[in-house]
Structure formats: C-alpha cells, structure tokens
Amino acid sequence: MAALSGVRWLTRVAVAARYPAAWRSLSTSATAQAASQSQVQDVTVEGAFPVTMLPGDGVGPELMHAVKEVFKAAAVPVEFQEHHLSEVQNMASEEKLEQVLSSMKENKVAIIGKIHTPMEYKGELASYDMRLRRKLDLFANVVHVKSLPGYVTRHNNLDLVIIREQTEGEYSSLEHESARGVIECLKIVTRTKSQRIAKFAFDYATKNGRNKVTAVHKANIMKLGDGLFLQCCEDVAELYPKIKFETMIIDNCCMQLVQNPYQFDVLVMPNLYGNIIDNLAAGLVGGAGVVPGESYSAEYAVFEMGARHPFAQAVGRNIANPTAMLLSASNMLRHLNLEYHANMIADAVKKVIKVGKVRTRDMGGYSTTTDFIKSVIGHLHPHGG
C-alpha cells in the first residue's frame, strides 16, 4: 500500500472506530443538500470528528477563525480542540508541547498555523515547531502548487507538487563552536529517511496519476550527503518503471522553475531545499496566501499553509488572505473522507476567486478578511446541486 494512502486509511479507521456517529453522518449528505443556507448554519452535528487546532503566530488565529466560520456555515462534522503554542507570545513550554502532542496523537489529524521561530539563541537550538514535527515523525511535507482559475499570475495553468523530507538535513539542530569564531553546523542525511521520502514521492505520483518525479539535490558539491540522497532516489526509481525519473541540481531547479515551471510534475528533495522551493513555487501562482500544504507521518496528518509565513505585519488589520488555510482545511476534510464538505468548501473558495469581486490586498484587491469569509459562505451550496 502506498505510503500516503496508508496513513489516510489508518487515520480513517482510527477515527471511525472512536466516533461512529461522525462516520455515519457521511450518509446524510442528501439531507444536507435539501437544507437552505440559513438552516445549515444552525445545525449542530453530534459525534463530530475531533481535530487538533494550533492557531500559531501572526495572522494564524485570524485564519483559523475563518476556518471555523466557514465550517460552521457548512455544517462540517468536525470538533476543533484548540491549543496554543508560541515562542514569541510566551506561550511555549514543555508542558504545553506535551499537551499539543497528546492531543495530536489522540486525534491523528491537526490543522496548524505558522509557529514562528525566533532567530535569537536562548540555549535551545531546536524550535518548538521543529520538535513538534520530529516527535510526530512528520517526515513528508506535501505542497500542491496549482494555479487558481480567474487569478492571473506570471505563469498560469501550473500544476506541480513539491515533496520535502522535513525531519533531518540542515534542520538537525546540531551546531557548535569548534574554535573561537568557528561554527560547525551539521547536515544529517540517512539512507533510511532518504529511501522513505523517495518511496513516498513515487507512491504519491502513482496514486495521483502523475508521470514524472524529479529529485533535487546538490550532489556535485555535497558528494557524500546529497550523494546518498540522490542514490536512494535512483534506487527507488527502479521500482517504479512507469514513472519517469529525472535529477536536477538545486540552483538550476530554481532557475528552471522561474523560466519554465511547466516541465515539472512531482519534485522530491531534502529539507532546506524544500523550504526554499516551496516559497519560490508559491510565488509563481500568487504567493503564500493561496497555496495549501500538508505533512504526514505513518500515523498522523497535519494540514497547514504551503509557504509558512506568520505575516506579522498584518495582525489585527483584517487583511490576511484565508484562501490557503481554507483550501488546506478542505484537504483535511478529504483526508477524513468527508468528500461532500471538502468539495463544497473548495468550490466556494475557488468560485469567489474566479468571480474576482472579492480579493484581499495580496491578490490586488481591497477586500478585508471578513469580506472574503462572507463571500465564501455566500457561495456555499451542495456540491453538484
């Protein structure tokens, strides 16, 4: 079984066993379709799916408010268990981290905002965000970069997927001063984790009808570290003869993405390169506000923005774009097999953007976050109805 479909199947089985009422609610879509929007807003669903919510920093709380408002209007059978973890708001401690971990391990599914990482060194090299991902072994970050119909950017009709290994590499938090004025920062690359992310990428490509996987590396310079990653990708590629396999050096990849992004399908890469490429690719289709993301372990699924930015300068100004978070929330519902609600929300968001009357400042408009939320709610309707 493919790595991605495996984690989704395990999550659904675990949630269905604990919350049968929520699972049975899938069969009530016909009833929901007959309800008017005003009736939908008043529906309270019992036995809802439990999901951990971590608003994070910056505009994260405002974006999570958007998710909750839209979910309420769409009568989504999800119950959010909200926790707060922030290094910049003095809401981070070992106790809070354990509370978050306990909730996420119990629920198996989470939606999170950006947990900002301060640059100042205060005795701990690993940020709470990194520690959270490591403890849950969220090894695969998936960012689907896709153009939104009606929103014209430099490149249109783009559709590519970036898969990033996010538990080792340059994010290993192994740094020390070997001599005065000399810092050594260790990049860790292991065969086990390189093979795992490569297999995940090829499984993803197979499951989603993709034709090509490109391994991104810098093995010409880091001959052993990136060389091992590249070798693992090549070995795994041999097991998938129907998927075309290519390799590309990271610096060339950045240039090619700007010049001709249409040549790419699925890209797989180590940690730091993935962070850079996620942001670069998001910029091709409109920026951090429009690209959703998700992270997987063997047991857990976490939904978030594809390009992780706190957008602190927008806090409290009611100008943040909730598109990425709403699309990510829609992907979360699809992960839970709530296809009806997932399609309803995703279609409403895309319809608002396609119509073009309500757009936030990052998309060239003057609408507020509240305007966008209201417009999405106004476009909610039974999928296919």
Side-chain angles (χ1 to χ4, degrees):
M1 181 180 292
L4 181 61
S5 59
V7 67
R8 285 180 170 166
W9 181 83
L10 285 170
T11 303
R12 290 169 185 165
V13 169
V15 174
R18 291 168 52 217
Y19 296 87
W23 207 253
R24 286 196 300 272
S25 71
L26 293 175
S27 64
T28 66
S29 293
T31 303
Q33 289 176 9
S36 67
Q37 181 178 323
S38 60
Q39 290 173 318
V40 166
Q41 289 178 337
D42 296 329
V43 172
T44 300
V45 182
E46 295 183 1
F49 290 98
V51 170
T52 302
M53 174 179 278
L54 201 59
D57 297 307
V59 296
E62 296 171 53
L63 299 178
M64 291 305 177
H65 173 72
V67 171
K68 288 186 283 189
E69 287 295 303
V70 172
F71 272 35
K72 179 181 177 182
V76 178
V78 162
E79 176 187 344
F80 290 117
Q81 297 176 5
E82 192 167 331
H83 295 266
H84 295 273
L85 186 68
S86 171
E87 293 187 60
V88 295
Q89 300 179 53
N90 295 319
M91 290 192 294
S93 65
E94 291 300 320
E95 182 181 1
K96 286 186 178 293
L97 179 61
E98 288 304 317
Q99 289 173 355
V100 172
L101 286 169
S102 177
S103 175
M104 294 174 79
K105 288 178 179 179
E106 178 74 12
N107 297 333
K108 309 293 185 184
V109 178
I111 183 167
I112 68 174
K114 167 63 178 174
I115 304 173
H116 184 61
T117 302
M119 285 188 287
E120 297 81 9
Y121 174 58
K122 298 180 179 180
E124 176 60 60
L125 291 170
S127 68
Y128 277 86
D129 183 47
M130 290 166 60
R131 291 164 67 187
L132 186 68
R133 295 175 190 277
R134 283 185 200 160
K135 286 180 179 291
L136 295 173
D137 195 27
L138 295 169
F139 69 92
N141 177 239
V142 181
V143 176
H144 189 179
V145 178
K146 189 172 183 178
S147 298
L148 294 168
Y151 182 40
V152 179
T153 57
R154 183 179 297 274
H155 297 287
N156 297 294
N157 301 314
L158 277 184
D159 186 358
L160 57 93
V161 178
I162 301 160
I163 296 178
R164 164 192 179 189
E165 203 295 321
Q166 61 175 5
T167 59
E168 58 176 15
E170 296 85 354
Y171 289 64
S172 299
S173 303
L174 296 173
E175 299 180 77
H176 64 275
E177 188 172 20
S178 56
R180 186 175 180 83
V182 179
I183 302 295
E184 291 183 333
C185 179
L186 303 182
K187 170 178 175 174
I188 306 299
V189 181
T190 63
R191 183 179 302 277
T192 298
K193 292 188 175 183
S194 296
Q195 288 176 336
R196 180 172 66 170
I197 196 64
K199 187 176 187 306
F200 183 97
F202 278 93
D203 281 346
Y204 182 98
T206 301
K207 182 178 183 297
N208 291 278
R210 298 278 175 166
N211 300 312
K212 181 172 73 172
V213 172
T214 302
V216 181
H217 64 93
K218 191 64 176 173
N220 59 323
I221 300 299
M222 287 169 276
K223 302 181 186 299
L224 298 182
D226 279 24
L228 175 60
F229 174 82
L230 184 58
Q231 182 61 55
C232 290
C233 290
E234 292 172 345
D235 292 344
V236 171
E238 294 180 1
L239 304 176
Y240 298 81
K242 295 183 179 180
I243 304 294
K244 185 178 180 181
F245 176 65
E246 293 182 351
T247 67
M248 188 172 290
I249 294 174
I250 178 62
D251 38 346
N252 183 35
C253 180
C254 291
M255 181 179 68
Q256 295 296 329
L257 275 168
V258 174
Q259 288 187 325
N260 179 26
Y262 303 99
Q263 65 184 288
F264 297 106
D265 195 351
V266 174
L267 300 93
V268 61
M269 59 200 75
N271 210 335
L272 180 60
Y273 309 157
N275 187 21
I276 295 168
I277 296 298
D278 281 348
N279 284 265
L280 189 158
L284 298 178
V285 296
V290 299
V291 179
E294 51 216 61
S295 294
Y296 295 100
S297 73
E299 294 183 74
Y300 313 114
V302 173
F303 296 83
E304 57 195 333
M305 295 177 68
R308 303 167 192 163
H309 292 279
F311 200 20
Q313 65 270 30
V315 173
R317 297 171 60 192
N318 198 24
I319 61 173
N321 187 349
T323 299
M325 195 60 80
L326 288 173
L327 291 177
S328 185
S330 172
N331 291 338
M332 180 189 75
L333 296 179
R334 192 165 286 111
H335 173 81
L336 290 170
N337 211 27
L338 293 168
E339 292 285 345
Y340 165 72
H341 297 90
N343 292 331
M344 184 198 305
I345 291 171
D347 288 352
V349 172
K350 292 173 183 177
K351 195 164 295 183
V352 170
I353 292 173
K354 189 172 184 179
V355 171
K357 293 182 179 179
V358 179
R359 287 189 176 171
T360 49
R361 293 188 184 185
D362 61 309
M363 299 182 77
Y366 298 95
S367 301
T368 64
T369 307
T370 302
D371 293 334
F372 195 94
I373 297 169
K374 288 180 178 178
S375 186
V376 169
I377 291 173
H379 282 83
L380 289 173
H381 62 84
H383 183 66

